[in-house]
Amino acid sequence: MNKGGKTNYILACMSDIIKLLPDSVANQIAAGEVIQRPASAVKELLENSMDAGAGQIKLIIKDAGKTLIQVVDNGSGMSQTDARLCFERHATSKINRASDLFSIRTMGFRGEALASIAAIARVELKTRTKEDIVGTEVIVEGSVTESQQQCQCSSGTNIAVKNLFFNTPARRNFLKSEQIEKGHIYNEFIRIALSRPDIELMYYYNNQLTVKLDKGNLRQRIVGIYGNNYNQRLVPVEEKTDIISITGFVIKPEFARKKRGEQFIFINRRYIRSPYFNHAVEQAFQELIPEDTFPSFFLFLETEPEQIDVNVHPTKTEVKFQNEQYIYQILKTTVKRSLGKFNLTPTLDFERETAFDGLVIDKGKPPVAPSIHIDPGYNPFLIEKGSGGNQGKRGSLTGRINPEQWERLFHGHKTDKTGSAGKQISLDSRLEKDDREILSKKFIHIQNRFILAPVKSGLMIIDHQRAHERVLYERFLAYLDKEAGPSQQLLFPESIILMEQDAELFREMLPHIKATGFGISEAGKGTFIVTAVPFDMHDKGPLQDMIEEIIEQYQIHKADARINARHNLARSMARRLALRHGKTLAEQEMMALTESLFMCEMPYASPAGKPVVVVLTADEIAEKFK
Ligand code: ADP
Ligand code: MG
């Protein structure tokens, strides 16, 4: 269809068959694209009020919009001439020339909405600019101007749409039940409300004020819409890069829903439907929420208007992006990091380890996923075992942990006794910058399972097995990325024998297995010789058992399409090698484990998505004493 020009043609028959469509018919056709249902008219009118700089907007609906859709704003208003012109097709004040299309900051720009609405309804407009003393009233029905006259009205615009679809019975008949159409209207209202918390909004349904939202910030707006209990559920998200900035909130994973409901992404304050970006956010939640549940989020992307094309869809809910994949990665990583942070903010503050700033995008190459650095050599369980292995590969802090360092870590002392630079210093400064601290270096282990430590906000409880699984999981993943896990040669190579089924699976796993530090080769049918093991795999029982169990774990997860081979292997090994419940831990081991947990990208959840750390706040404890 020709959307670009004013001309529209239809074919009749025989010679000289082309006729110009009357404007009213052209408008009706256009209306079919822009105004599918009452909610679309609501969206267009509310957006016009936003574009007009309104600080307050009232939305008044009767009978799911079939009887009345009215929007009253205190924005710029229109002059007498504009009040008449605004119903013309392609009449817009928002762009002057084609090049303006590349720098659109307003919601509207196509000049179609009012013409479309007026083609299929009765529209009564009253409007006045601040400078004018008298306002203008225009009444249009089915594209025909019924009257235009001066009127008394407050400054701003008051536009009432009546009898929508009165002359397009097909559309009218296609409308769903009042309940459903009402739902669509409410959804549009919510999207607008979320996109502009700085505007006061009121929603009247069948003469009743049903929603009133005061001006405020985004958090206040969300709470205003969804209720007070949302205040506790919000996890802030913030990131700024050269081409995009992201702000907003995600809802804590434990409140994931059975249906995709509250998933909002806005680009330059415009709500967009983007399964692609939604997927990025869902990926960030992947390990944290049960399958078949969906996270909720309210995310705002800001970018230069040149980076996006909003003109790909008549209702502008779809947007084309340059650098789409790059943004996908940033979105995913940013949300992931925010989630990793939130549960631990009362205890340790996580500095971001990857700076996106200054990341240059090379048009030729696919963008590289920003990642969070994990020290692959980090092994908290080598406190006493100073010898053996290739210690040289490991970071200085990780080689040996002494109590003094912990003291410094927890209290932010600035003594410079030990020579361990680098990481230690950055940990110190992190804590100093934000004087949250673990209040004691004493850890308590209960039931050989939970590590307890007092923190500023209350009591931190860590499940030691899950914590260790998480640590190992991330470490193995890092090895797998680099294909170079530190390994330890066995003095006497061992052979293991696998049943054919297992052997087959094991062959598939072999390249990855080797990357984690195993030295293994197949010697004969089902017989494998192990010459080296990952560096920290002491005392884990007979190799034969261990490998069989890893294969078993691997097989269990293999059916899960969401887990790829790398993750599967890392997860299976972590599961097999983690400290079990029931194991006694020395104080230093608890310290070391806690620290390495906090260095993880996602300390909050085990690889299987179970909670690792819980903070019981003082308030919650006090509650128990009531
Ligand atoms: P667009 O928003 O794409 O420009 P519309 O058909 O929605 O097209 O509106 C046409 C024009 O009418 C706008 O460009 C604007 O100048 C004017 N207009 C519409 N609604 C309002 C309003 N609430 N307040 C002030 N001006 C308005
Ligand atoms: Mg508009």
Side-chain angles (χ1 to χ4, degrees):
M1 194 182 294
N2 179 0
K3 284 187 224 138
K6 228 180 161 63
T7 43
N8 286 277
Y9 305 100
I10 56 166
L11 295 169
C13 61
M14 305 306 286
S15 59
D16 289 349
I17 50 175
I18 295 174
K19 292 195 189 97
L20 265 179
L21 278 180
D23 266 358
S24 57
V25 179
N27 284 342
Q28 259 191 39
I29 294 170
E33 285 189 331
V34 186
I35 311 295
Q36 284 119 4
R37 51 173 20 123
S40 340
V42 170
K43 169 180 185 281
E44 294 296 338
L45 296 182
L46 290 175
E47 287 187 351
N48 279 347
S49 296
M50 286 158 64
D51 284 346
Q56 185 203 59
I57 307 176
K58 281 184 210 156
L59 172 65
I60 303 163
I61 302 290
K62 282 185 189 158
D63 303 325
K66 280 185 234 170
T67 315
L68 177 72
I69 297 168
Q70 186 174 10
V71 172
V72 184
D73 70 48
N74 64 355
S76 65
M78 283 179 262
S79 70
Q80 200 180 334
T81 315
D82 286 354
R84 180 164 34 84
L85 263 179
C86 71
F87 294 107
E88 294 291 320
R89 195 123 171 270
H90 309 304
T92 180
S93 55
K94 298 165 196 173
I95 53 175
N96 293 315
R97 58 189 78 84
S99 59
D100 291 348
L101 273 175
F102 302 106
S103 54
I104 286 161
R105 291 261 179 212
T106 51
M107 293 295 125
F109 57 87
R110 294 165 57 119
E112 286 182 312
L114 290 185
S116 298
I117 295 170
I120 51 172
R122 176 184 176 85
V123 181
E124 300 171 4
L125 166 73
K126 284 184 187 170
T127 186
R128 179 168 75 78
T129 64
K130 286 199 184 64
E131 298 76 39
D132 292 332
I133 306 156
V134 284
T136 309
E137 183 189 64
V138 181
I139 299 178
V140 187
E141 188 173 303
S143 295
V144 178
T145 306
E146 224 167 67
S147 71
Q148 167 157 10
Q149 60 192 61
Q150 293 191 330
C151 74
Q152 292 300 320
C153 59
S154 40
S155 77
T157 299
N158 179 341
I159 185 161
V161 177
K162 297 178 177 170
N163 299 331
L164 189 66
F165 302 127
F166 79 98
N167 54 356
T168 51
R171 254 202 202 262
R172 195 176 179 92
N173 293 337
F174 267 113
L175 291 180
K176 300 270 163 48
S177 69
E178 169 167 357
Q179 212 50 36
I180 290 180
E181 295 301 337
K182 192 179 150 184
H184 284 297
I185 290 172
Y186 184 70
N187 287 344
E188 289 298 349
F189 176 78
I190 293 305
R191 290 168 187 167
I192 299 280
L194 288 170
S195 75
R196 294 291 303 271
D198 56 323
I199 298 179
E200 182 189 350
L201 287 168
M202 277 163 273
Y203 179 29
Y204 294 82
Y205 194 80
N206 289 346
N207 297 322
Q208 277 203 326
L209 177 62
T210 53
V211 187
K212 183 176 185 307
L213 298 168
D214 295 331
K215 287 182 200 203
N217 57 27
L218 179 62
R219 179 185 282 275
Q220 290 161 330
R221 180 63 36 116
I222 293 171
V223 169
I225 295 170
Y226 296 101
N228 261 331
N229 50 353
Y230 268 64
N231 201 14
Q232 303 302 316
R233 301 185 184 178
L234 300 175
V235 180
V237 175
E238 209 170 340
E239 184 56 72
K240 203 166 168 34
T241 76
D242 278 352
I243 61 160
I244 196 138
S245 77
I246 304 173
T247 55
F249 296 98
V250 295
I251 297 279
K252 291 180 183 171
E254 60 258 46
F255 300 102
R257 309 176 116 228
K258 283 265 177 251
K259 280 207 228 141
R260 280 195 180 83
E262 293 147 12
Q263 300 195 330
F264 296 92
I265 293 184
F266 300 84
I267 312 269
N268 294 353
R269 305 237 156 209
R270 181 191 302 281
Y271 169 82
I272 55 142
R273 236 183 284 275
S274 169
Y276 183 64
F277 289 154
N278 280 12
H279 187 259
V281 182
E282 286 180 3
Q283 283 294 104
F285 273 85
Q286 197 193 28
E287 292 168 10
L288 300 174
I289 61 178
E291 263 173 86
D292 308 325
T293 65
F294 302 96
S296 303
F297 45 85
F298 309 88
L299 295 173
F300 290 77
L301 279 52
E302 288 285 335
T303 180
E304 287 303 316
E306 302 84 65
Q307 293 280 333
I308 56 176
D309 183 359
V310 288
N311 202 17
V312 291
H313 192 262
T315 63
K316 306 180 220 85
T317 45
E318 278 156 37
V319 172
K320 239 191 6 240
F321 261 87
Q322 285 176 32
N323 301 312
E324 202 169 53
Q325 291 132 323
Y326 173 79
I327 293 167
Y328 180 100
Q329 291 298 351
I330 296 178
L331 201 53
K332 179 174 151 189
T333 310
T334 302
V335 170
K336 214 165 172 179
R337 192 172 42 227
S338 306
L339 286 167
K341 266 183 199 167
F342 88 85
N343 203 44
L344 297 154
T345 26
T347 56
L348 286 169
D349 187 32
F350 282 79
E351 193 84 337
R352 63 180 195 186
E353 303 214 4
T354 315
F356 294 126
D357 317 67
L359 204 80
V360 185
I361 307 154
D362 186 339
K363 287 241 165 63
K365 280 186 233 149
V368 184
S371 67
I372 290 161
H373 174 74
I374 305 157
D375 179 359
Y378 186 59
N379 180 358
F381 299 97
L382 278 173
I383 298 157
E384 324 91 325
K385 295 174 184 147
S387 62
N390 34 5
Q391 218 172 344
K393 272 194 178 178
R394 287 169 293 131
S396 50
L397 172 69
T398 60
R400 214 168 306 229
I401 291 162
N402 68 51
E404 277 161 28
Q405 288 178 326
W406 275 86
E407 201 157 344
R408 295 202 316 158
L409 176 62
F410 290 152
H411 297 291
H413 292 164
K414 265 209 153 163
T415 49
D416 196 14
K417 265 199 230 156
T418 53
S420 61
K423 204 138 230 173
Q424 179 65 52
I425 284 161
S426 71
L427 277 170
D428 265 347
S429 56
R430 262 188 240 174
L431 283 170
E432 257 192 2
K433 209 169 74 185
D434 185 351
D435 68 347
R436 297 180 188 115
E437 49 193 358
I438 293 182
L439 297 176
S440 151
K441 55 181 176 166
K442 279 264 171 280
F443 287 86
I444 296 169
H445 203 204
I446 57 171
Q447 299 194 330
N448 287 336
R449 171 169 183 182
F450 298 113
I451 301 170
L452 311 187
V455 290
K456 211 165 196 173
S457 61
L459 179 64
M460 183 174 68
I461 308 169
I462 300 171
D463 180 309
H464 85 221
Q465 178 172 337
R466 292 181 188 172
H468 197 208
E469 263 182 52
R470 163 54 63 181
V471 170
L472 291 175
Y473 172 68
E474 293 200 3
R475 192 184 321 157
F476 287 133
L477 271 186
Y479 292 163
L480 286 167
D481 283 340
K482 293 196 183 121
E483 310 220 327
S487 79
Q488 187 178 16
Q489 295 296 318
L490 293 176
L491 215 46
F492 305 103
E494 283 184 41
S495 72
I496 52 170
I497 299 166
L498 298 174
M499 292 186 328
E500 186 44 35
Q501 262 182 348
D502 284 359
E504 209 173 293
L505 210 55
F506 195 57
R507 279 180 211 115
E508 177 187 317
M509 296 160 66
L510 216 49
H512 298 306
I513 284 259
K514 284 184 181 160
T516 67
F518 272 107
I520 297 189
S521 53
E522 187 165 9
K525 210 170 174 303
T527 303
F528 296 82
I529 307 292
V530 184
T531 53
V533 294
F535 179 56
D536 43 317
M537 209 177 263
H538 316 272
D539 315 326
K540 295 294 172 186
L543 266 176
Q544 173 84 34
D545 293 357
M546 179 167 70
I547 300 252
E548 279 179 6
E549 280 172 52
I550 291 172
I551 294 172
E552 190 187 323
Q553 286 289 328
Y554 186 87
Q555 183 156 29
I556 292 171
H557 303 313
K558 209 182 164 214
D560 188 341
R562 298 193 315 172
I563 306 175
N564 66 24
R566 262 176 71 247
H567 283 89
N568 188 359
L569 183 70
R571 190 166 152 176
S572 304
M573 288 183 60
R575 174 123 194 111
R576 175 58 185 80
L577 298 174
L579 296 161
R580 299 295 158 95
H581 290 149
K583 168 107 170 64
T584 318
L585 295 186
E587 177 118 18
Q588 286 191 341
E589 287 177 312
M590 290 192 266
M591 282 181 186
L593 178 57
T594 307
E595 187 197 329
S596 42
L597 176 68
F598 287 167
M599 292 167 93
C600 284
E601 186 183 352
M602 176 59 72
Y604 166 68
S606 76
K610 300 262 177 55
V612 173
V613 186
V614 168
V615 174
L616 212 56
T617 65
D619 286 349
E620 285 163 341
I621 297 169
E623 192 64 31
K624 297 215 181 299
F625 284 93
K626 274 205 178 141

